């Protein structure tokens, strides 16, 4: 399969034929829309990260903040958990929507047949802020990634059933809103997502020049133009150029001319631009003008949808203070490791790369810095805090752990009611369930003093064994069950799909008295994640053969 497949053309054409609101290839507005979606998402982070100077000027914007449900799926992990020192990481999903449901967005270009149609979540970046605030990781998911979509239920009760086949990840937002995009990420990565920020692009055009230009680099002279007139039109000489205005837009939408001419190369160019812009924001004084910053902040906030946990300016301000603690040199931009799909009809689409994508997700789950430098050391005077305690007086209030230590508040084992379900077939159904497995694990618990255990006749489908509980009052008891079975704290999840404490025995535990120990966690992002450090001002885009001058 050619790696020069035109992913964008395939994707949009397929979605257009399926009635999914796809864009017509070749339209100039289409390319501007994509870059504006991306720049909106990026600038949402950057504006928040420099918001302190304008704080008093935009408090009145509270009424402009739009909110939506955080997670519309059934798998709710309950938020990030504090470490032994009471410090809690933050996971924020940044979503760029191509919604074109108002005149202001429509005026920015694009095919008219997409107006008022269902939006696509074409930009998805998971931002992980470490518990000790020493480092930040960003994981981008290619928009052409094919996933199994989870069941999503809108607040009004409308149900979008789980998909029976692979669905392109950017269609998740059409299944009830950004909360379904969060649910899809949660289902795939098992990472608890604390917040989301979804941005459209109205009001963001004026921000492109706010910092006076962004340095970028190309390894050769580049001109993004094919013989039949396709391409962004970007034309730059070899080396570093400071770009702004239309040239910045061209850089961000360039596919033909970078690397192998695919959307993956465009993602890498966007990472270079984002890191460079972050450095410019930190050292450039142009945004110290509170009136100017207020205008920029207002444009961003009025175009933003956030979860209800970020529904006040004060909360956004607190978040910005946490983000600013990380120096650029400890910011790592990555792309989810991927492979081209070999399934019929999915030419040019991608899927998570087996093994390496999970390694990257695990590092985020376990708060391991992607740059291989580890976390900052706690101060000598630091002592472990109770789960849920804030990391410092200046940190925002943290969410309580969903898996408190079992010894703290758990009831005696004989008083804890537990149901065990056989889910050993796994989600792909490639293996049959192990007959009688629920009864075997129930017997294990009984032998450890849990006398109120039932082997349920209902089954499930889980790749990894998990314990779900219904109410906060059951959290410590569920953690005690996990400890008794040798399952990690991360396997304990709060869920509205169970009535009590339910053990789902997964494909990873088909035999034996305890689940197999997981392999050692990686200490650095895999090479296939194409990591880019925030301090790397020497990054330079390779040029696709045939696009030089």
């Amino acid at each position: 399969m050619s790696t020069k497949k035109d992913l964008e053309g395939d994707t949009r054409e397929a979605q257009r034929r399926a009635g999914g609101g796809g864009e017509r290839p070749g339209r100039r507005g289409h390319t501007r829309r994509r870059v504006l979606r991306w720049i909106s998402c990026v600038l949402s982070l950057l504006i928040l990260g420099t918001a302190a100077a304008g704080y008093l000027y935009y408090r009145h914007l509270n009424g402009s903040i739009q909110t939506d449900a955080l997670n519309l799926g059934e798998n709710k992990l309950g938020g990030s958990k504090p470490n032994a020192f009471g410090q809690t990481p933050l996971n924020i999903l940044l979503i760029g929507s191509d919604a074109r449901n108002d005149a202001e967005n429509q005026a920015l270009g694009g095919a008219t047949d997409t107006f008022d149609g269902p939006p696509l979540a074409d930009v998805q970046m998971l931002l992980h802020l470490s518990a000790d605030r020493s480092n930040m990781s960003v994981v981008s998911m290619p928009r052409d990634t094919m996933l199994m979509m989870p069941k999503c239920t809108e607040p009004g009760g409308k149900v979008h059933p789980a998909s029976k086949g692979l669905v392109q990840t950017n269609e998740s937002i059409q299944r009830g809103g950004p909360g379904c995009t969060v649910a899809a990420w949660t289902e795939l990565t098992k990472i608890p997502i604390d917040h989301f920020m979804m941005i459209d692009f109205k009001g963001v055009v004026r921000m492109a020049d706010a910092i006076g230009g962004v340095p970028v680099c190309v390894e050769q002279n580049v001109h993004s133009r094919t013989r039949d007139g396709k391409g962004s039109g970007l034309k730059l000489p070899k080396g570093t150029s400071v770009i702004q205005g239309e040239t910045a837009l061209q850089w961000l939408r360039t596919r033909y001319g970078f690397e192998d001419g695919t959307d993956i190369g465009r993602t890498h160019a966007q990472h270079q631009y984002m890191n460079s812009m972050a450095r410019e924001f930190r050292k450039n004084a142009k945004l110290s003008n509170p009136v100017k910053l207020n205008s920029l902040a207002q444009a961003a906030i009025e175009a933003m949808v956030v979860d209800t946990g970020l529904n006040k300016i004060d909360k956004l301000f607190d978040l910005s203070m946490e983000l600013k603690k990380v120096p650029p040199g400890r910011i790592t931009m990555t792309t989810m490791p991927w492979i081209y799909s070999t399934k019929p009809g999915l030419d040019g689409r991608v899927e998570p790369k087996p093994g390496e994508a999970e390694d990257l997700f695990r590092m985020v789950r376990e708060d391991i810095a992607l740059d291989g430098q580890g976390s900052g050391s706690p101060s000598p005077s630091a002592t472990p805090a109770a789960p849920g305690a804030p990391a410092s007086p200046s940190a925002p209030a943290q969410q309580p752990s969903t898996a408190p230590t079992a010894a703290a508040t758990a009831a005696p084992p004989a008083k804890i009611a537990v149901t065990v379900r056989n889910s050993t077939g796994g989600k792909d159904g490639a293996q049959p369930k192990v007959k009688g497995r629920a009864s075997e694990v129930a017997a294990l618990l009984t032998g450890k003093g849990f006398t109120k255990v039932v082997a349920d006749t209902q089954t499930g489908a889980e790749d990894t064994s998990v314990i779900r509980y219904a109410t906060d009052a059951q959290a410590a008891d569920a953690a005690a069950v996990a400890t008794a079975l040798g399952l990690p704290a991360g396997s304990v999840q709060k869920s509205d799909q169970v009535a009590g404490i339910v053990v789902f025995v997964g494909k990873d535990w088909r035999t034996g008295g305890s689940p197999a120990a997981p392999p050692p966690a990686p200490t650095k992002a895999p090479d296939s994640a194409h990591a880019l450090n925030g301090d790397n001002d020497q990054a330079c885009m390779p040029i696709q053969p045939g696009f030089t001058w």
Side-chain angles (χ1 to χ4, degrees):
M1 181 180 301
S2 172
T3 59
K4 297 184 180 181
K5 192 74 175 175
D6 188 342
L7 302 185
E8 177 177 294
D10 281 356
T11 299
R12 290 299 183 187
E13 179 63 17
Q15 291 174 340
R16 182 180 65 80
R17 289 196 303 265
E23 300 164 355
R24 294 175 180 171
R27 294 289 186 95
R28 180 182 178 187
H30 148 239
T31 53
R32 290 182 61 88
R33 290 177 60 197
R34 182 165 312 289
V35 66
L36 290 174
R37 287 196 300 272
W38 181 86
I39 198 79
S40 301
C41 186
V42 170
L43 285 173
S44 69
L45 167 62
L46 298 178
I47 287 296
L48 289 175
T50 56
Y55 176 54
L56 296 178
Y57 290 87
Y58 65 69
R59 289 176 60 185
H60 69 281
L61 293 177
N62 269 334
S64 301
I65 299 176
Q66 304 172 69
T67 62
D68 212 327
L70 174 62
N71 188 336
L72 298 179
E74 297 180 346
N75 188 0
K76 296 178 173 63
L77 302 183
S80 297
K81 302 171 178 64
N83 61 18
F85 293 89
Q87 302 165 316
T88 305
L90 282 173
N91 295 311
I92 306 166
L93 188 62
L94 305 178
I95 304 169
S97 166
D98 74 348
R100 306 192 56 74
N101 54 1
D102 60 44
E104 191 171 356
N105 277 328
Q106 293 170 1
L108 291 171
T112 58
D113 61 356
T114 67
F115 289 4
D116 299 315
L120 295 169
D122 270 0
V123 177
Q124 300 176 34
M125 296 182 179
L126 181 65
L127 184 154
H128 172 79
L129 183 62
S130 69
D132 63 6
R133 305 306 189 248
S134 69
N135 65 89
M136 184 188 300
S137 304
V138 178
V139 179
S140 293
M141 184 184 294
R143 67 180 181 85
D144 295 312
T145 302
M146 305 302 294
L147 303 174
M148 297 296 292
M149 285 292 162
K151 174 184 176 182
C152 289
T153 304
E154 297 185 29
K158 181 178 180 180
V159 176
H160 300 265
S163 66
K164 295 181 179 180
L166 295 175
V167 176
Q168 191 160 304
T169 183
N170 62 355
E171 296 181 20
S172 58
I173 199 173
Q174 299 177 1
R175 301 166 60 85
C180 197
T181 305
V182 170
W185 272 78
T186 300
E187 194 72 24
L188 173 68
T189 68
K190 304 301 185 290
I191 296 171
I193 296 178
D194 304 289
H195 300 292
F196 74 78
M197 296 172 59
M198 183 176 72
I199 308 294
D200 66 12
F201 51 82
K202 61 187 177 186
V204 179
V205 176
R206 73 188 74 168
M207 299 179 194
D209 295 333
I211 59 175
V214 176
V216 295
C217 178
V218 290
E219 293 183 356
Q220 299 172 270
N221 296 346
V222 62
H223 188 199
S224 177
R225 184 68 71 202
T226 65
R227 292 181 177 178
D228 57 357
K230 295 181 180 179
S232 70
L234 178 73
K235 190 173 185 180
L236 291 176
K238 175 182 178 180
T240 299
S241 301
V242 177
I243 61 175
Q244 58 188 116
E246 184 66 23
T247 306
L249 299 179
Q250 291 172 337
W251 173 277
L252 293 170
R253 65 180 174 86
T254 292
R255 177 178 75 250
Y256 301 118
F258 286 159
E259 296 186 353
D260 62 357
T262 69
D263 269 341
I264 304 300
R266 173 158 50 192
T267 297
H268 298 159
Q270 291 171 349
H271 286 174
Q272 181 187 141
Y273 186 93
M274 183 175 181
N275 275 343
S276 185
M277 180 179 281
R279 291 192 298 270
E280 292 301 304
F281 262 89
R282 285 178 178 264
K283 71 182 182 181
N284 195 307
K286 288 183 173 65
L287 291 183
S288 62
N289 181 330
V291 176
K292 187 173 184 179
L293 179 59
N294 178 53
S295 176
L296 295 172
Q298 182 167 349
I301 289 173
E302 289 181 349
M304 181 190 305
V305 179
V306 297
D307 65 279
T308 53
L310 294 176
N311 63 351
K312 299 292 183 184
I313 294 297
D314 289 359
K315 296 177 181 179
L316 292 172
F317 175 78
D318 286 343
L319 175 59
S320 75
M321 293 298 97
E322 295 300 292
L323 295 173
K324 288 182 67 176
K325 292 177 181 178
V326 180
R330 296 305 311 279
I331 298 174
T332 306
M333 301 284 302
T334 63
T335 301
M336 179 196 75
W338 55 273
I339 56 172
Y340 281 107
S341 179
T342 58
K343 295 181 175 61
L346 297 182
D347 289 355
R349 312 300 199 280
V350 302
E351 297 180 35
K353 186 175 184 178
E356 295 184 17
E358 170 56 24
D359 284 346
L360 192 67
F361 301 151
R362 181 180 177 186
M363 292 183 73
V364 174
R365 286 197 303 266
E366 298 183 15
D367 198 25
I368 301 171
L370 299 185
D371 58 10
Q373 298 183 40
S375 298
S377 301
S379 64
S381 61
T383 56
S392 68
S394 62
Q398 307 294 346
Q399 299 187 32
S401 168
T402 59
T405 53
T409 57
K415 294 186 177 182
I416 300 175
V418 184
T419 300
V420 182
R421 291 183 184 173
N422 186 347
S423 302
T424 54
K427 293 185 176 180
D428 59 8
Q431 294 177 292
K433 291 182 173 64
V434 178
K435 186 176 181 179
R437 190 59 181 149
S439 297
E440 292 175 356
V441 174
L444 288 174
L445 281 172
T446 300
K448 294 176 180 293
F450 292 83
T451 57
K452 300 173 68 174
V453 181
V454 176
D456 200 346
T457 56
Q458 294 187 56
T459 60
E462 300 290 342
D463 292 334
T464 304
S465 298
V466 64
I467 298 174
R468 297 194 174 104
Y469 63 93
T471 68
D472 291 338
Q474 297 166 338
D477 291 350
V481 175
T483 300
L485 292 175
L487 294 172
S491 68
V492 181
Q493 304 171 358
K494 185 178 180 181
S495 172
D496 57 9
Q497 301 303 307
V498 295
I501 298 173
V502 182
V503 177
F504 294 81
V505 185
K507 186 172 66 174
D508 63 335
W509 193 14
R510 293 172 63 85
T511 61
S514 60
T523 57
K524 187 177 181 181
D527 291 342
S528 57
H530 203 90
L532 180 63
N533 183 271
D535 256 352
N536 183 2
D537 58 3
Q538 302 301 309
C540 214
M541 285 302 297
I543 302 306
Q544 183 182 7
F547 288 86
T548 59
W549 54 274

